Amino acid sequence: MGVFKDKNLGPGTFVLLALLASLFLGVGRFEAAAGREAYDRLKVFSEVLSLVESNYVDEVDSGKLVQGAIRGMLKELDPHTAYMTEDMFNEMQVDTKGEFGGLGITIGLKNDVLTVIAPIEDTPAWRAGIKPGDQILKVDGESTRDMSVENAVKKMRGVPGTSVTIAVMREDFTEARDFTIVRDIIKLKSVKSRVIDDTVGYVRITQFQERTDADLEQALTAMWAERPALKGLVLDLRNNPGGLLDQAVLVSGSFLEKGKLVVYTKGRKATNNAEYKVRGGGGRTGFPIVVLVNHGSASASEIVAGALQDWGRAVILGVETFGKGSVQTVIPLEDGSGLRLTTAKYYTPKGRSIQNTGIKPDIIVPTATIQVKKTPPGHGEKEKDLEGHLPSETQPEAAPGEQEPVQEPEQEADVEAPSDEEDFQLQRALDLLKTWDIFQKTRGAATAQAN
């Protein structure tokens, strides 16, 4: 039975748990591996299974009973440890290829409730208004209580053009609301870039996929070739739920010197302890960086933010990240199913655990949208619009009952896709980078004067 590293969730190699091994390899081998105490407990399980098979009122599927027992056992552990049927195991391997049919959300369990980690930009869920932190209480009317993440994903994915209804609870909701979303092919473009105001480079990483590091390098090269005098870079990791560990290390290495530690893992067994450092010639270090994060930044995103923060390479701006800092190893089982097992935790270069605590920004800037007042040309606020203004000597005031000309109602900013001017966190990052030169010159002058 082979064991492999799940590069999507973390490193590590393992031998199967003795209890699971017994279910597939036989009681005799299990007794030798696990000892008498575990063997005695397994005999009770076998006895119960036999009684159910022979005496239950209806005929039962023993395979489903065993799978249910495994799920029940793993539920006693953390929410990221799970049993996957053969279909789930095969579907899991599709996630990092960049295209699948579904809604476009990354989900997990938080406080035993199925929770949205982040919607993926430009997908049906994102356009429907699904937000990080939303709790999914039902899928097509079926309660998600005790539903595994894998099973929920399977229910929400499907044929493009078909719909699924999810009942969502949010902090500012008084009761759950139904969102009916039409499935679509989810094509994931992990790196988006542009230059803002001819002065600042902007790169958004939506997920860490197989080509993220290559796409990032291409974007950086193109921006600096177009604008060699860029003042700095905004690296936007908001609502990025994570992805491939090796890509998180490579992306971090794009901005750190060769040999710098990016992240390390530590588990109960020494074989699960590992360090990941910058390889190659090192990254780009000649410009300031502001990294944007929020509650939807998880896993690989937190690794990048933590590494750049610990080495003083970037200023982290936004709100505290999700806090998914555990390592899962996927182990294929003999019948084609799989076991996803938490084996270690991630730590930043300075030894901070990401698990549960997340990454705390250097500058706390809440998620908000700047409401930009949109008025027709020539109809901006004037003196006459101010309360208590002095009357005109040549233009009479409107008589009682007369109406001022009606202007078009102010449009609300698009909360799901704010413009650069409406994105409060981005504007603070741009302000910081645009004044960086002034701060550096002021600090340099003060140092020279002191000397």
Side-chain angles (χ1 to χ4, degrees), residues 193-261:
S193 64
R194 65 182 188 275
V195 174
I196 300 177
D197 297 337
D198 291 329
T199 57
V200 175
Y202 172 90
V203 172
R204 172 164 169 71
I205 301 179
T206 59
Q207 269 194 348
F208 290 86
Q209 300 173 0
E210 292 176 352
R211 282 190 48 82
T212 297
D213 67 315
D215 291 344
L216 172 64
E217 183 60 29
Q218 183 179 358
L220 294 174
T221 299
M223 284 192 299
W224 258 264
E226 180 185 354
R227 298 285 194 280
L230 288 178
K231 295 180 180 295
L233 176 73
V234 174
L235 180 61
D236 193 346
L237 299 179
R238 291 175 297 180
N239 295 334
N240 182 323
L244 303 178
L245 172 62
D246 67 329
Q247 291 296 307
V249 175
L250 289 169
V251 167
S252 301
S254 296
F255 308 110
L256 296 173
E257 297 171 350
K258 181 180 180 180
K260 293 284 190 183
L261 178 65

Side-chain angles (χ1 to χ4, degrees), residues 274-288:
E275 291 186 343
Y276 298 86
K277 298 181 179 181
V278 178
R279 296 181 179 179
R284 302 164 186 258
T285 58
F287 54 87

Side-chain angles (χ1 to χ4, degrees), residues 6-309:
D6 173 25
K7 60 181 179 179
N8 183 42
L9 298 168
T13 54
F14 274 80
V15 178
L16 282 178
L17 289 178
L19 181 55
L20 286 175
S22 70
L23 296 175
F24 300 100
L25 301 181
V27 172
R29 291 176 61 184
F30 171 79
E31 182 177 8
R36 187 71 197 177
E37 183 179 357
Y39 174 58
D40 288 342
R41 291 173 180 170
L42 184 61
K43 284 202 303 185
V44 175
F45 171 80
S46 299
E47 183 180 3
V48 171
L49 178 61
S50 178
L51 288 170
V52 170
E53 286 181 319
S54 59
N55 295 288
Y56 187 68
V57 62
D58 295 320
E59 188 174 348
V60 297
D61 184 332
S62 59
K64 289 184 177 180
L65 291 178
V66 171
Q67 289 182 357
I70 295 172
R71 290 194 182 96
M73 175 180 65
L74 299 181
K75 190 173 174 59
E76 294 297 313
L77 306 176
D78 71 293
H80 301 293
T81 293
Y83 171 76
M84 294 173 285
T85 64
E86 185 174 2
D87 288 343
M88 292 177 181
F89 184 49
N90 292 334
E91 192 166 345
M92 181 209 72
Q93 299 176 66
V94 174
D95 288 353
T96 63
K97 299 301 180 183
E99 183 174 317
F100 56 88
L103 306 184
I105 51 176
T106 301
I107 58 176
L109 288 175
K110 195 166 188 178
N111 298 324
D112 292 327
V113 179
L114 196 66
T115 303
V116 175
I117 297 175
I120 301 169
E121 192 171 328
D122 295 328
T123 63
W126 186 82
R127 289 189 290 268
I130 301 300
K131 298 179 181 295
D134 282 353
Q135 296 179 332
I136 301 176
L137 305 185
K138 294 181 180 179
V139 179
D140 279 339
E142 181 180 349
S143 172
T144 60
R145 185 186 296 273
D146 298 327
M147 185 182 291
S148 68
V149 172
E150 287 75 17
N151 198 26
V153 168
K154 185 176 181 180
K155 290 181 179 297
M156 286 187 279
R157 286 187 180 175
V159 178
T162 60
S163 64
V164 60
T165 299
I166 58 176
V168 169
M169 190 64 192
R170 190 176 294 167
E171 282 187 357
D172 55 352
F173 288 178
T174 56
E175 59 182 13
R177 297 183 187 176
D178 284 346
F179 288 74
T180 299
I181 307 173
V182 178
R183 298 179 178 96
D184 199 357
I185 292 294
I186 309 300
K187 296 181 179 180
L188 305 177
K189 183 179 180 182
S190 66
V191 176
K192 302 179 180 181
S193 64
R194 65 182 188 275
V195 174
I196 300 177
D197 297 337
D198 291 329
T199 57
V200 175
Y202 172 90
V203 172
R204 172 164 169 71
I205 301 179
T206 59
Q207 269 194 348
F208 290 86
Q209 300 173 0
E210 292 176 352
R211 282 190 48 82
T212 297
D213 67 315
D215 291 344
L216 172 64
E217 183 60 29
Q218 183 179 358
L220 294 174
T221 299
M223 284 192 299
W224 258 264
E226 180 185 354
R227 298 285 194 280
L230 288 178
K231 295 180 180 295
L233 176 73
V234 174
L235 180 61
D236 193 346
L237 299 179
R238 291 175 297 180
N239 295 334
N240 182 323
L244 303 178
L245 172 62
D246 67 329
Q247 291 296 307
V249 175
L250 289 169
V251 167
S252 301
S254 296
F255 308 110
L256 296 173
E257 297 171 350
K258 181 180 180 180
K260 293 284 190 183
L261 178 65
V262 174
V263 67
Y264 68 92
T265 61
K266 188 165 60 176
R268 186 163 59 93
K269 297 181 66 176
T271 52
N272 298 315
N273 301 339
E275 291 186 343
Y276 298 86
K277 298 181 179 181
V278 178
R279 296 181 179 179
R284 302 164 186 258
T285 58
F287 54 87
I289 302 173
V290 175
V291 178
L292 298 180
V293 297
N294 66 1
H295 298 313
S297 306
S299 193
S301 297
E302 295 172 295
I303 289 173
V304 174
L308 298 184
Q309 185 180 53

